[in-house]
Amino acid sequence: MRESPALFAGPLRAARFFFAAPMSQAAPAPVANFLRTQIERDLAQADWQQGRTFGRGPGDGPHHAAAPADPAAIRTRFPPEPNGYLHIGHAKSICLNFGLARDYGGACHLRFDDTNPEKEEQEYVDAIKEMVQWLGWRWEFGEQINLYEASSYFDFMYRAAEALVEAGLAYVDEQSAEDMRKNRGDFTTPGTNSPFRDRSPAENLARLREMRDGQHPDGAMVLRAKIDMASPNINLRDPALYRIKHAEHHATGTKWCIYPMYTFAHPIEDALERITHSICTLEFEDQRPFYDWLLDHLAQLGLLARPLPRQFEFGRLNLSYVVTSKRKLRQLVEESHVAGWDDPRMPTLIGMRRRGYTPESIRAMVESTGTTKTNAWIDYSVLEGCLRADLEARAPRAMAVLEPLPLEIVNYAEVLGEGFDACSAPVHPKLLELGERHFSFGPKLWIEREDFCELPPKGYQRLFPGNKVRLKAGHVVECVGCTKNEAGEVVAVQARVLPDTKSGTPGADAIKVKGVITWVGAHEAVPAEFRLFDRLFLDAQPDAGGKDFLTVLNPGSLRVTQGFVEPSLARAEAATHWQFERHGYFVADRVDHQPGRAVFNRTATLKDTWNKS
Ligand code: ATP
Ligand code: MG
C-alpha cells in the first residue's frame, strides 16, 4: 500500500477541519486506533477515489456505475436490528462509526437491519433514531439523508440469489435440519456434501422459485451457497442464504415467504449503500471470508459495483456491573426487576438519559476507552469520571437536604431580629458570570439527619451538643441540644446563631470551626423527592461464564427519600442538571418532575464509590 505524504495532507486537513468544530465543550480529542490508521492509509492511496461513485441512494452495480464520484470520503454505517432499545454497548458502535465519518469527511448511514420478520416494531425504530440524535449524531451528509431500511433491498437480494443459482454458486438443499447439522461436521471433522448439492442450476432455480412462491412449508428446504464442505472455516461450509418463513413483515407485509439470512443480507446491504468500512464486533471475524466471497462473486456477475466494502472487526464494549444483551435487558423489564426500559438503573440509552448521563459524557467514555481488537471490560467508574468531568465544569450548584431534620435557632430574633436574613452564593464557583443564587436564613432550617449526632464518634465534626459548625453561605451556629420522641429518636435539633459570623461579611471567620454543613430555610424550602441509585448488580461481571444474572441483582439499587431543595429550584425544568453540594450530580426527572412536584435523580455521587469494596 502506498503512503504518499503529499496525498496524506488532503484527508488530514479535512480531519483537522472537523476536529476544529467540536460538537460540545467536552468533545474529546480522538485517540489513535487501528481503524483510524486503516482509514488514513486508505485515504492516502492515489486511487482511493477511483471508481468510488455514489448514485443518489443505495443501488446495484449499474446504478452506481453511472453515477458521479462519491462526495463522501468514506462511508460507515450503524446497523441496529429494531427489536429493542439501544444500550451503552450500541453507543460504542454509534460513536465509532459516526465519529470516523465526521473526522474523515465521510458519511455514516443509519440502517435498520430489519430483514427478520416478526420481531421488529415501529416503537423501536423511533427510539433508535431519537437516541442516535441525542448522542449528537446526524445521518445527513449534504443533501443526502442516509437513513435506510434493509427490507427495502429484498428484491435485489432475491435477484442476487437467482444469479448465484444460475452461476452454479448456490443450491437448494432439502435435507432435514438435523441432517444438515450432522453433515456440517465440526472443528475436527470436515463436513459431508449434501445429496442435493449437485443438482443442475435449472433444477435449483425451479426449486428456489417454488420456495419464493410459497409452495413449501417452513423448514422444508433452504438455499445454500456452494463453497466447500471441508473448509476449516465452518462458515464456508455451504452457509444458508435463504430460508422459508411464512411470516408477515412490518414493512413488506406478506409479499415474501422466504427471508435472507443475516450473513447473506448484511454484506449486500453494505455494498448497495457503498459502505467503504463495514465495522463490526469481533464475533464476525470468521464471517469475513464469506463476506468477501459473496460480494466478489456478485460483482463478477455484474450485480454490484466495485470497489466493494471491506469488513473490520473491533472488540465489544463491556461495562462492569452492567449487562448489555437485549434479551437480558428485556427480561429485566418483563419480569419487573426494573420499572421499564427507561428505568434510570438500566444501561439502555433512554435509561441513562433519564438517570442524567449527558451525551458528552457517553461520547467521552467511548472515546477515552479506545478501540481495539480485544473484548475489554471497562470499569463503570470510567463512565462516572467522564460524567463528573462534564458536569463539574457546567452544572449549577444548589443546596438540597435529602433526609431532613429540623434545626431550630433558639436566639434568632435576639441576633438577627424580625424577618429572614438574606444570603447568597455563586451559581457556579468558577463561572462567576452565571451570577448568584439567593436564599435566606430563618429561625427554622432543614439540615441532614446525618449532620447531627448526640454522642459523636471520635473525629465527628458536625453538630453535637457544644460543637460549632458553619452553615454553608450562612452563619456559624453552636448546638445546644435536641428533642426526642417517645421512641427516643431525635426529631429536632436546637442551636444558637453566633453574631457577626455571616459568610462574606468582615470578621466572619473570627470564630474557627471544623465542620461546614448544608441547609435549606424551612420557610422557603421546596419539597422534593430524591431517587438515589446504586449499581443494579452486586457482581462486576453479572453474566460472565453463563452465570444467572438475576441471582446477583442488588436489592438496594434504588432508595427514595423525601426532602427539600433551595428556593432557586422552585421552577426547575425537567431534564436539567445540578450539583447538589456534598450529594452529587442530579437531574430533574424527565418523566415525573412537574410543576408542584419536584423529583430529582442522582446521576452520580461527587466521588467514586464504585471501587470501594
Ligand atoms: P444484542 O446482543 O444486545 O441484541 P446486537 O449486537 O444483536 O446486540 P444489533 O441491533 O444487531 O444488536 O446491534 C447493532 C450494532 O451495535 C451492531 O453492529 C453491533 O455490533 C453493535 N453492538 C452491539 N453491542 C455492542 C457492544 N457491546 N459493543 C460494541 N458494539 C456493539
Ligand atoms: Mg444483532
Side-chain angles (χ1 to χ4, degrees):
M1 230 171 258
R2 264 186 65 206
E3 279 185 51
S4 145
L7 283 163
F8 217 72
L12 278 188
R13 202 177 309 119
R16 259 199 301 274
F17 168 75
F18 282 94
F19 299 154
M23 300 198 312
S24 84
Q25 49 188 353
V31 178
N33 62 47
F34 72 98
L35 291 168
R36 289 183 179 275
T37 307
Q38 175 69 46
I39 291 170
E40 285 166 17
R41 206 186 288 148
D42 290 338
L43 292 174
Q45 282 195 73
D47 57 359
W48 173 252
Q49 275 305 102
Q50 212 183 338
R52 284 202 54 248
T53 55
F54 189 80
R56 274 186 277 143
D60 63 7
H63 167 83
H64 287 301
D70 190 348
I74 61 167
R75 284 185 189 269
T76 56
R77 85 284 173 270
F78 173 62
E81 206 179 329
N83 63 350
Y85 286 87
L86 297 180
H87 53 62
I88 185 71
H90 292 117
K92 166 89 203 179
S93 177
I94 294 170
C95 295
L96 183 60
N97 281 293
F98 281 91
L100 290 171
R102 173 197 61 191
D103 293 347
Y104 293 101
C108 181
H109 301 188
L110 174 59
R111 176 203 308 150
F112 290 105
D113 207 330
D114 59 350
T115 53
N116 199 358
E118 299 174 313
K119 285 191 295 191
E120 283 96 20
E121 280 178 40
Q122 192 60 34
E123 173 194 353
Y124 301 131
V125 169
D126 295 340
I128 290 170
K129 280 166 40 181
E130 190 184 343
M131 285 303 114
V132 171
Q133 288 174 319
W134 175 70
L135 279 177
W137 305 108
R138 302 290 174 262
W139 44 82
E140 292 84 11
F141 181 83
E143 305 270 278
Q144 287 167 22
I145 300 169
N146 292 303
L147 178 66
Y148 303 115
E149 280 174 8
S151 59
S152 67
Y153 310 144
F154 279 161
D155 285 337
F156 179 88
M157 288 174 188
Y158 181 74
R159 187 148 65 89
E162 285 208 350
L164 291 173
V165 166
E166 284 172 335
L169 295 166
Y171 63 100
V172 172
D173 195 351
E174 294 180 44
Q175 290 184 99
S176 67
E178 197 189 324
D179 284 349
M180 231 178 278
R181 207 174 309 117
K182 219 166 48 203
N183 290 336
R184 191 172 293 125
D186 55 30
F187 287 110
T188 51
T189 332
T192 314
N193 284 354
S194 161
F196 301 93
R197 200 173 193 264
D198 293 321
R199 276 174 165 172
S200 71
E203 204 174 334
N204 281 313
L205 192 60
R207 281 289 180 289
L208 176 60
R209 289 182 176 167
E210 287 170 21
M211 280 172 65
R212 177 200 59 188
D213 296 339
Q215 294 178 24
H216 300 284
D218 289 8
M221 50 189 75
V222 294
L223 181 72
R224 297 178 77 177
K226 192 169 177 177
I227 309 180
D228 178 8
M229 287 305 291
S231 172
N233 182 341
I234 293 179
N235 296 295
L236 291 180
R237 294 184 187 171
D238 295 4
L241 308 181
Y242 259 100
R243 68 204 151 128
I244 302 173
K245 196 161 185 175
H246 291 268
E248 193 168 329
H249 186 280
H250 80 111
T252 58
T254 51
K255 178 175 177 192
W256 297 95
C257 63
I258 57 171
Y259 290 94
M261 305 299 288
Y262 179 84
T263 46
F264 176 69
H266 199 83
I268 292 178
E269 294 159 22
D270 285 345
L272 293 175
E273 293 178 20
R274 300 294 261 165
I275 299 303
T276 56
H277 300 82
S278 175
I279 299 165
C280 61
T281 44
L282 279 184
E283 64 270 24
F284 291 97
E285 195 165 11
D286 289 346
Q287 298 281 2
R288 187 168 6 112
F290 177 69
Y291 185 101
D292 293 336
W293 180 95
L294 177 67
L295 295 187
D296 193 56
H297 281 291
L298 292 178
Q300 280 179 41
L301 292 169
L303 268 73
L304 291 176
R306 292 183 195 273
L308 294 166
R310 286 169 303 157
Q311 177 183 301
F312 301 92
E313 307 88 19
F314 70 98
R316 294 177 85 83
L317 170 83
N318 298 298
L319 261 192
S320 63
Y321 296 101
V322 160
V323 299
T324 53
S325 140
K326 271 184 242 165
R327 182 180 61 75
K328 292 173 187 165
L329 296 178
R330 174 169 294 114
Q331 203 179 338
L332 289 172
V333 174
E334 286 175 356
E335 295 178 9
S336 301
H337 301 292
V338 294
W341 288 100
D342 68 346
D343 186 302
R345 294 165 294 176
M346 287 283 273
T348 50
L349 295 177
I350 41 168
M352 294 176 71
R353 178 177 71 172
R354 186 168 174 195
R355 167 81 166 257
Y357 282 98
T358 60
E360 290 82 357
S361 63
I362 294 174
R363 291 200 303 264
M365 187 274 287
V366 165
E367 187 64 45
S368 71
T369 52
T371 301
T372 64
K373 294 281 282 177
T374 48
N375 288 324
W377 278 88
I378 306 296
D379 204 278
Y380 197 90
S381 61
V382 175
L383 176 60
E384 287 207 326
C386 291
L387 179 88
R388 291 188 191 103
D390 182 22
L391 291 185
E392 161 57 30
R394 61 192 175 104
R397 296 341 193 218
M399 283 200 277
V401 175
L402 274 47
E403 289 178 80
L405 182 65
L407 177 69
E408 295 155 0
I409 308 297
V410 294
N411 62 342
Y412 185 89
E414 216 174 287
V415 177
L416 296 167
E418 292 297 311
F420 303 112
D421 180 43
C423 300
S424 65
V427 170
H428 190 291
K430 295 202 188 96
L431 301 174
L432 297 181
E433 65 274 21
L434 294 183
E436 297 274 305
R437 349 186 296 261
H438 300 278
F439 41 89
S440 59
F441 198 78
K444 190 173 167 201
L445 312 172
W446 294 111
I447 60 167
E448 287 296 340
R449 185 160 282 279
E450 63 170 29
D451 285 346
F452 171 78
C453 192
E454 198 180 10
L455 297 168
K458 201 162 173 281
Y460 188 85
Q461 287 169 348
R462 289 169 274 169
L463 284 174
F464 55 87
N467 196 40
K468 299 187 191 77
V469 300
R470 172 167 296 284
L471 296 175
K472 183 151 192 178
H475 300 257
V476 172
V477 297
E478 179 180 359
C479 181
V480 295
C482 66
T483 315
K484 292 184 194 172
N485 63 13
E486 282 170 9
E489 295 157 346
V490 175
V491 290
V493 177
Q494 291 83 36
R496 301 193 300 122
V497 59
L498 305 190
D500 306 322
T501 58
K502 185 172 176 180
S503 296
T505 59
D509 293 333
I511 294 174
K512 298 283 174 225
V513 292
K514 290 202 175 127
V516 179
I517 66 173
T518 44
W519 57 281
V520 178
H523 55 284
E524 61 183 8
V526 179
E529 175 172 316
F530 302 95
R531 297 176 180 172
L532 310 173
F533 307 104
D534 196 356
R535 55 196 85 174
L536 188 52
F537 296 100
L538 295 167
D539 197 312
Q541 299 192 0
D543 54 354
K547 196 166 35 195
D548 179 0
F549 64 108
L550 295 177
T551 62
V552 290
L553 271 171
N554 177 6
S557 61
L558 171 65
R559 193 159 67 88
V560 178
T561 72
Q562 305 295 332
F564 299 96
V565 291
E566 65 173 59
S568 68
L569 270 68
R571 271 184 287 282
E573 277 182 39
T576 42
H577 289 87
W578 282 271
Q579 186 200 98
F580 290 159
E581 312 210 22
R582 298 169 61 198
H583 295 299
Y585 296 100
F586 286 73
V587 69
D589 188 73
R590 60 173 56 238
V591 178
D592 296 331
H593 178 90
Q594 282 152 14
R597 183 180 180 217
V599 180
F600 296 96
N601 297 326
R602 179 154 66 192
T603 316
T605 52
L606 290 181
K607 292 205 190 80
D608 182 10
T609 53
W610 287 83
N611 286 321
K612 232 173 34 185
S613 47

